Amino acid sequence: MSVIETVEQLEAIYGVTNDASTVKVADHVTPLYRIYIEKAPFAALATIGPEGIDCSPRGDLPGFVRIHDPKTLMLPDRRGNNRVDSLRNIVRDPRVSLMFLIPGSGNAVRANGRAHLSVDPELLASFKVEGKAPRSVMVMRVDEIYFQCARAIVRSDLWNPDKRIDPKTLPTPGQILAEMSANTVGGADYDRAWPERAAATMW
């Protein structure tokens, strides 16, 4: 197997990046990038820690990532499974990356920087939804932000409703849990209770 082992080998294959790939990079949230962030209901959060890299979905009402100022983004941590993989990583290594997706848009916006976690009571209260505040807020200093070209989303046909998979053809969380736990966790009861449980713990 031929393995690329140096940057020089890589560049010999891929060549030099063009202007459109480089001039789009900013060191702060520009007015046009602000529009994308404010309309995005979903972002993927990448973090790194001693155990390795983690990438976690973050979804909320559009604009859930607050632009505090052109160099600062704020992301509330909503209810989840309490694994806190991303948060644990941030405490130990501040490097983070966010990728914003907007249904119907072929472009993704990526922001890289460093973050810390805040539990300031006033800040938490400012992110309340239905009277419920997050337990922490990720405060991110933006080092660079840019859009990703649309080829990946176009190739995947991600937003085409005719290409949606029937959920019934996929394993359910209850089935996965049951298989992984020798039927001590999960199962049909877990799946049956999920909609009501999720609705009660959404925020």
Side-chain angles (χ1 to χ4, degrees), residues 28-40 62-76 98 100 109 111 123 126-127 137-142 145:
H28 63 284
V29 179
T30 67
L32 296 182
Y33 284 141
R34 171 183 284 269
I35 295 171
Y36 273 90
I37 294 173
E38 290 179 339
K39 291 184 179 295
F64 68 102
V65 175
R66 179 182 299 169
I67 304 169
H68 178 70
D69 60 51
K71 289 291 290 184
T72 310
L73 300 177
M74 295 179 169
L75 169 64
L98 283 169
F100 297 92
V109 166
L123 181 61
S126 73
F127 279 97
V137 172
M138 184 188 85
V139 181
M140 174 184 177
R141 178 177 174 81
V142 176
I145 184 170

Side-chain angles (χ1 to χ4, degrees), residues 53-203:
I53 299 169
D54 185 73
C55 187
S56 176
R58 293 290 190 267
D60 210 327
L61 302 174
F64 68 102
V65 175
R66 179 182 299 169
I67 304 169
H68 178 70
D69 60 51
K71 289 291 290 184
T72 310
L73 300 177
M74 295 179 169
L75 169 64
D77 187 60
R78 300 297 185 193
R79 295 286 294 270
N81 56 20
N82 288 331
R83 283 182 56 101
V84 297
D85 296 310
S86 300
L87 307 186
R88 186 179 290 110
N89 282 349
I90 291 168
V91 168
R92 297 176 296 174
D93 188 323
R95 292 176 292 175
V96 298
S97 182
L98 283 169
M99 182 174 70
F100 297 92
L101 291 177
I102 302 173
S105 172
N107 295 309
V109 166
R110 298 165 60 178
N112 300 320
R114 294 174 181 269
H116 67 268
L117 302 179
S118 175
V119 290
D120 178 81
E122 291 186 6
L123 181 61
L124 298 181
S126 73
F127 279 97
K128 281 185 179 180
V129 174
E130 295 184 0
K132 298 177 182 178
R135 282 181 281 184
S136 67
V137 172
M138 184 188 85
V139 181
M140 174 184 177
R141 178 177 174 81
V142 176
D143 291 332
E144 62 177 2
I145 184 170
Y146 53 95
F147 75 88
Q148 184 77 34
C149 79
R151 288 189 184 88
I153 292 177
V154 171
R155 281 194 297 261
S156 68
D157 213 5
L158 185 63
W159 308 126
N160 185 346
D162 295 331
K163 298 293 182 69
R164 290 180 180 172
I165 300 295
D166 182 353
K168 295 178 181 178
T169 67
L170 301 172
T172 68
Q175 289 170 335
I176 295 171
L177 288 169
E179 180 183 70
M180 298 296 289
S181 68
N183 292 311
T184 61
V185 179
D189 288 343
Y190 181 93
D191 290 329
R192 202 161 26 246
W194 162 246
E196 184 176 347
R197 183 169 65 250
T201 59
M202 188 60 62
W203 307 109

